[in-house]
Structure formats: structure tokens, C-alpha cells
Amino acid sequence: MNPVLAYIPSPPQGVWQLGPFPLRAYALCIILGIVVAIWWGERRWRERGGQPGAVLDVAMFAVPFGLIGGRIYHVATDWQKYFGEGKNPVEALYIWQGGLGIWGAVFFGGVGAWIGCRVYKIPLPALGDAIAPAVLLAQAIGRLGNYFNQELYGRTTEVPWGLEIYNRFDPETGARDMMNGVSTGQAQEVVHPTFLYEMVWNILVVVLLVQLDKRFKIGHGRLFALYVAGYSFGRFFVELMRNDEATHVLGIRINSFTSALVFLGAMAYFALATKGRETPEQLQPGAEPRPWPWQIAALRAAGASGGDTATTPVDVTKKTDAPGAPDDEETETAETDADATEATAKKS
């Protein structure tokens, strides 16, 4: 008899029909994550001195790019699910059935954010630092969608927190439909809930990022690099626990391979990028021309020139109150006397 009395049950279904419209938990989790990321990212951006509304403006570019990029990465790395004998290539477009590769979402989302930042003339690295914890929290929320879809789980296990995977069937036809059907309550297998491991890891990294940012005032894209590195580190080990079908590179699951490469790249950027944080003046639209990301020396110079504290602009038209400082009339008299002296010198 199994000593474990209860496991974590999967939801009986992930789709509910509202008349002709399917209400999908996966889509709701993705939408909720996006809303949370924009709301919290906007608050963090304003706290750094950025203009209100900038995060939402840039999100109009980043979110569509991220969704498309995430799907492209998923289809490219799991192409055997959609192409080949007996497969339906059109299903590669069925994003509501699950399948978004985070690496494609971050890369293409970054491209969209870069376009948005160029349009609104704000520095992308600073915006990335502001939204980094919020984006990772959105990823954690999105993992709940994998729970409802009964996907992203690991090998079979007997640990007390094992996840029960149910068979699901179409209630009308009785055909087996793991994505859209309803379960009978009978467990097919008990597996490691790797979606849960990743979600918990993401939340821990979110807390760490917030604390590091408060203590060390991290800027110039370095906090975003820590987010990417932290997520990649955890994802590498989560992937090692999975045994579902996946593309391999050099005998390694492609997501583990990608995680390692992205981790190294993110840590390299963190080490080489400018220390400190941008001033509020540097966050304003069109405040200064921003070097390209690969111009490391120019980026460091631009950050060093800005300093870590805000500077007070000097109004050269305002009379100073410093003792002994000449007033405007004295300055004009001095300039008139200098001109007269110069004229006399020329005549002589």
C-alpha cells in the first residue's frame, strides 16, 4: 500500500464553455500576468523618476512581440508536434492550446520594447530594470496556466507533493481530449509538478531582485540581466527533471542548453555594464542619445557622466545670492568699460 495518502490533484478541466465561446484558464493566467507586470512595472518606473504611462506605452509593442516570439520558439524547438506524417501544421497557430517558449518571448519582447523605447525616446536598459521583477512575477502567474493544461510536468514520483495527471474526455463524444476535455477523476500517473517548482523559484528570485535593487541601486540594465540569469539558473535544473519529448542539442534538452548559454550571457552583461543607476533626468524622453547595446565602452561612459545622484540645473539668467558676487548692473558696467578701453587702444 502506498504510504502517501494524498497527492496534489490536477484541475478537472482547463476550459469552460460560455455558449459558443471557450473560456480558457491558460489564457486568463497569461492575461493576468501581463496586467500585473504593467501595473507593478509602471509603479517601479515612476519611483525611479520616469514619466507616468511609459510602461504601458512600451507594452503596446512588447506584449504582441513577446507572444509571437514565444510561440515561434516553442514551435521551432518542438516542431515534431506540428509537422510530419499525421500532424496538422495549422495547429502551430493554436496558441490557446499552450506552448510559449520563454526565451522567444523575452527576446522578441525585448525587440518590441526596444522599438517602443525608440519611439518614445526613453532608455531601454533603465526601463528593463524597472520592469524586471514584474515580468518574472508575470511568468510565475502564467505557470498556473500550465497547471490547468496539465503540461510542463516531470517524471513519475512518489513524493507527497506529487501531481496527479487525469485522463480527460470530451463530454459530448466521449473521445479522449487531454486539453479541452473533462476528467473522470481517475489518476493516470503521479509526476513531479515542475511547473510548481519553477513558479516558486520565480517568486523567490522576484523577492531577491527587489531587495538587491533597494540596497545597491542597480541600473543600466544590470537588474534585468540578474532577472534573466536568475530565471535561467532555475530553469536549467527544472528541465533536468522532465522526461517528455523534446529536441536535444549535444545530448542535452534544448531548453537546458539555452538556459546555460543565456545565463552566461546575462552574467557577462552584468559584469561589464555601467555600475550605479540612471538619474531621473536621464529617464526623461529624449534626455540624451543612447549608445547601441553592443557599444560597451560608450554605454559605460554615458552612465559615468550621469553619476548616481540627480544634478540641479543652473539657471544662468538668475542673479546669484552669493556674497561678493557681481550683480547685472555691475557686469554691464564692467563690460562697457572694457569695450571703451579696447576702442581707445585701437585709436592710439
Side-chain angles (χ1 to χ4, degrees), residues 60-187:
M60 295 298 102
F61 293 87
V63 171
F65 272 76
L67 292 175
I68 294 172
R71 189 61 177 179
I72 289 176
Y73 180 88
H74 167 73
V75 173
T77 55
D78 289 313
W79 58 270
Q80 65 275 6
K81 295 180 179 179
Y82 307 100
F83 305 99
E85 186 177 356
K87 304 296 183 181
N88 183 10
V90 177
E91 292 184 359
L93 303 176
Y94 295 172
I95 192 172
W96 55 85
Q97 292 188 354
L100 290 173
I102 185 60
W103 312 119
V106 171
F107 178 77
F108 280 86
V111 171
W114 174 79
I115 294 173
C117 286
R118 300 292 287 188
V119 170
Y120 295 105
K121 301 185 185 303
I122 57 179
L124 175 62
L127 186 74
D129 290 331
I131 66 173
V135 170
L136 189 54
L137 181 59
Q139 290 177 221
I141 295 172
R143 282 297 171 228
L144 290 174
N146 300 125
Y147 173 56
F148 282 94
N149 275 5
Q150 292 193 139
E151 59 185 359
L152 194 63
Y153 53 80
R155 296 185 293 271
T156 56
T157 183
E158 293 184 356
V159 297
W161 56 87
L163 176 69
E164 292 181 332
I165 299 298
Y166 301 148
N167 281 312
R168 290 176 174 175
F169 299 90
D170 187 321
E172 295 183 359
T173 65
R176 188 170 183 267
D177 188 346
M178 295 294 288
M179 186 63 63
N180 303 302
V182 179
S183 77
T184 60
Q186 182 179 1

